Amino acid sequence: MKTQSIYQDTLKFAAGKHAENNQTIPGTNLPYVVHLSNVAMEILIASQETEQFGIEFAIQVALLHDTLEDTNTTFEELTETFSLEVANAVSALTKRNDIPKAEKMKDSLKRIKELSKEVGAVKLADRITNLQSPPSHWSFEKRLEYQKEAIQILEELKGANTYLENRLKAKIDEYSRYCVPEV
Ligand code: NI
């Protein structure tokens, strides 16, 4: 199947799942599929800058990366509809609910690092996409925490994808403008 067809089929599946909850991007009225297609766009452009990049797998993981965390999609469903490799990748990108909040990101990053570099690339692309102007109700502490977490992602995923690492580095720097105490 052509990459374009894989993109369309996967986008349709993921968009439908997130639409069942009427999920929007936090702080906006935009449907969640906007976030998913932005992550896939980062992956597509990064693939042009990366040798030996499994674009079809990475596109699927990018579009599906929040289905286990935010929708009623199951691991078995991802395995049957896509592949076990895709289901394992989405699972690694999903925070576990049975561990303390402070350990959730570190645990997810550890599981991501055990898989192929494309999975790390999707995590980088996800945070690049999310480092836009924060929702207005976020406190100074929350913004600072979000930037700190982005630095943790960048450090832990070192070597996953040079192009996206550089993009994330620049986004983290830009985000500093939101990390000032309110006066
Ligand atoms: Ni996401």
Side-chain angles (χ1 to χ4, degrees), residues 37-56:
S37 56
N38 275 335
V39 175
M41 176 270 294
E42 288 289 343
I43 286 296
L44 268 173
I45 294 176
S47 77
Q48 296 168 352
E49 308 288 333
T50 311
E51 279 173 39
Q52 292 184 332
F53 191 84
I55 184 60
E56 290 167 7

Side-chain angles (χ1 to χ4, degrees), residues 84-97:
L84 181 61
E85 195 189 10
V86 166
N88 279 329
V90 177
S91 179
L93 290 157
T94 303
K95 292 193 193 96
R96 280 173 53 182
N97 275 328

Side-chain angles (χ1 to χ4, degrees), residues 69 95-109 127 138 141-142 145-146 149 152:
E69 196 160 291
K95 292 193 193 96
R96 280 173 53 182
N97 275 328
D98 56 343
I99 54 173
K101 192 171 187 287
E103 291 167 30
K104 286 184 179 181
M105 180 58 77
K106 199 176 165 59
D107 166 74
S108 173
L109 290 169
R127 190 48 66 102
W138 278 21
E141 287 78 18
K142 169 103 180 159
E145 188 52 43
Y146 201 64
E149 203 179 64
Q152 182 192 8

Side-chain angles (χ1 to χ4, degrees), residues 32 35 65-66 126 130:
Y32 204 71
H35 168 62
H65 78 274
D66 280 327
D126 182 37
N130 284 338

Side-chain angles (χ1 to χ4, degrees), residues 109-177:
L109 290 169
K110 182 177 165 280
R111 289 179 290 124
I112 289 168
K113 286 194 284 185
E114 288 166 2
L115 302 174
S116 64
K117 286 186 176 183
E118 286 83 354
V119 186
V122 170
K123 186 67 200 176
L124 292 166
D126 182 37
R127 190 48 66 102
I128 290 165
T129 305
N130 284 338
L131 277 180
Q132 301 181 24
S133 62
S136 55
H137 65 272
W138 278 21
S139 66
F140 164 62
E141 287 78 18
K142 169 103 180 159
R143 293 162 194 221
L144 209 60
E145 188 52 43
Y146 201 64
Q147 189 190 41
K148 248 178 70 183
E149 203 179 64
I151 294 167
Q152 182 192 8
I153 292 168
L154 186 61
E155 283 172 357
E156 291 286 336
L157 297 180
K158 209 172 167 49
N161 188 284
T162 309
Y163 179 80
L164 291 172
E165 285 167 54
N166 288 334
R167 291 254 314 138
L168 182 55
K169 216 175 290 172
K171 287 282 174 188
I172 289 168
D173 289 345
E174 279 174 35
Y175 198 79
S176 292
R177 81 169 83 160

